Amino acid sequence: MSKMERADVEKVSGQHTNIESKVEVEGAVSKVKTVKAMKSPLVCYALRLGPGEEIHSTLMNFVEENNLDSAFVMTCVGSVTKATIRLAHATAEKRNEIIHLDDKHEIVSLVGTLSDAGHLHISLSDKEGKMVGGHVIGGLEVFTTAEIVIGQLPSLVFEREMDDRTGFKELCIKARNNDE
């Protein structure tokens, strides 16, 4: 039987932090992976959207109007009357099933980054408590309220670049140029 242990070692160099994760199997290190993380202070914005407002486009407009280039959704609760989401297992070749919900749902969770067109995932529950979730395509129309907290990392810039491994534009985190 294998015994797995995890040890994290943090090495700080300026703005970058390297985190090494080691997995031990019966006393021998089988994997060592180094992840480069970047530190930044945090600025928060609290928003409340009302009935009929569309969440995705409102968030993207807010980010653009306030020149936020490393923004993300920290939390969101509320309810919607409509939602368009893509279900799991999408690949570059097979974009997978997109569903349109036209009924009242509670927002259990909304998280993601707001660079470029945004990359948001949502979890919704219906009147019976059944859950559905996926990648936000749009059409998130507020029923009663959407209480949202957006975070911005002023030392960083979020961009999206094509990743040949996934076939999608994926997040690239860069240090902000001090001249900006």
Side-chain angles (χ1 to χ4, degrees):
M1 190 176 287
S2 303
K3 180 181 176 189
M4 296 184 74
E5 296 177 18
R6 184 173 172 222
D8 291 333
V9 180
E10 192 173 301
K11 296 176 184 174
V12 178
S13 164
Q15 195 176 33
H16 302 312
T17 301
N18 292 328
I19 300 170
E20 292 180 358
S21 296
K22 298 177 183 179
V23 179
E24 290 186 20
V25 180
E26 295 178 2
V29 175
S30 64
K31 285 186 179 180
V32 175
K33 181 177 181 182
T34 301
V35 177
K36 185 177 278 187
M38 301 179 81
K39 294 182 179 183
S40 177
L42 174 65
V43 176
C44 297
Y45 299 87
L47 303 134
R48 181 196 175 251
L49 306 184
E53 293 185 73
E54 201 283 318
I55 297 170
H56 185 261
S57 62
T58 301
L59 289 176
M60 298 315 299
N61 288 337
F62 180 84
V63 165
E64 184 178 339
E65 289 168 7
N66 291 280
N67 298 313
L68 306 180
D69 53 10
S70 58
F72 58 98
V73 176
M74 296 177 70
T75 188
C76 174
V77 295
S79 57
V80 294
T81 57
K82 294 179 183 176
T84 302
I85 59 177
R86 184 184 71 218
L87 301 179
H89 299 295
T91 64
E93 295 79 33
K94 183 181 174 191
R95 296 293 177 171
N96 224 357
E97 183 180 1
I98 293 176
I99 62 171
H100 306 279
L101 303 172
D102 290 311
D103 198 4
K104 297 172 184 141
H105 286 79
E106 287 290 315
I107 301 169
V108 176
S109 175
L110 175 68
V111 295
T113 56
L114 296 168
S115 61
D116 294 331
H119 183 193
L120 299 173
H121 286 203
I122 194 164
S123 298
L124 302 166
S125 67
D126 66 14
K127 64 184 177 185
E128 296 173 0
K130 293 180 183 169
M131 301 286 295
V132 64
H135 178 90
V136 173
I137 300 297
L140 297 175
E141 187 176 298
V142 175
F143 173 49
T144 58
T145 191
E147 301 163 4
I148 306 166
V149 178
I150 297 174
Q152 163 73 3
L153 302 170
S155 298
L156 305 177
V157 176
F158 290 171
E159 295 178 354
R160 295 213 161 264
E161 295 176 4
M162 182 56 70
D163 186 329
D164 294 335
R165 298 170 299 171
T166 66
F168 291 99
K169 282 184 156 186
E170 302 291 0
L171 182 67
C172 292
I173 305 165
K174 299 181 180 180
R176 180 175 308 285
N177 181 340
N178 290 334
D179 297 334
E180 290 181 24

